[in-house]
Amino acid sequence: MSTRERSGCPISLSLELIGDRWTLLIIRDLVFAGKRHFREFLQSDEGISSRTLAERLQTLQDEGILTRSDDPTHGLKAIYRLTEAGIDLLPVLATLGAWGSKHRKADEDLARIAMELATGGEPALERMKEQLRKEHLG
């Protein structure tokens, strides 16, 4: 996945990084499902391939959206965590979730969570960001 910049437009620049089918789903799993390991991401309902997952995780590391560290409990596993830049994508996820809940046939429980987060406004987003900082940044 190339992140070569084609213009200075902030929307274009953002889409070059997170505009593919998989990247926001990986971030969603970090944020909402608490996934931290490669195999956990592979188990998502959407069925990402291991090659695509590895490429996206590497790009997200290279771009400063997440970090990768060795898992102290298992020598062959790595733990993925969001950076502050990754945590700052929470409003994007909330807005997309609210839109999908309104305009697509979304799961009712997941739609409720998305709508609560989106309608809670900045205070709800900040509370969740603070929780993510504790979980991912230490």
Side-chain angles (χ1 to χ4, degrees):
M1 180 174 158
S2 173
T3 58
R4 195 178 92 227
E5 299 170 359
R6 293 179 217 173
S7 81
C9 171
I11 294 171
S12 176
L13 292 169
S14 300
L15 288 174
E16 287 176 9
L17 176 59
I18 62 170
D20 66 277
R21 174 184 165 103
W22 299 109
T23 301
L24 282 176
L25 295 176
I26 293 167
I27 296 167
R28 173 208 62 190
D29 286 350
L30 282 157
V31 170
F32 296 112
K35 295 182 180 186
R36 301 289 183 270
H37 298 97
F38 190 89
R39 289 202 185 278
E40 292 174 324
F41 294 114
L42 286 176
Q43 295 169 354
S44 294
D45 291 342
E46 292 80 13
I48 190 170
S49 73
S50 59
R51 178 181 174 179
T52 300
L53 176 59
E55 289 172 357
R56 295 308 185 276
L57 288 171
Q58 186 60 56
T59 297
L60 289 168
Q61 289 173 74
D62 294 345
E63 295 292 332
I65 304 299
L66 58 81
T67 61
R68 179 185 187 275
S69 59
D70 293 334
D71 186 335
T73 66
H74 193 286
L76 299 176
K77 284 186 177 181
I79 298 173
Y80 295 93
R81 290 186 178 92
L82 293 167
T83 63
E84 189 65 34
I87 292 168
D88 280 345
L89 287 168
L90 178 62
V92 175
L93 293 173
T95 302
L96 279 173
W99 185 90
S101 298
K102 182 176 179 181
H103 297 288
R104 308 294 293 171
K105 294 178 183 175
D107 175 275
E108 286 186 28
D109 291 332
L110 297 175
R112 182 183 44 76
I113 293 167
M115 292 304 287
E116 286 174 3
L117 189 56
T119 58
E122 195 64 29
L125 292 171
E126 281 306 315
R127 282 191 301 275
M128 184 149 188
K129 280 183 171 184
E130 202 50 48
Q131 182 62 37
L132 290 170
R133 286 182 189 103
K134 290 176 186 171
E135 293 172 13
H136 291 266
L137 304 177

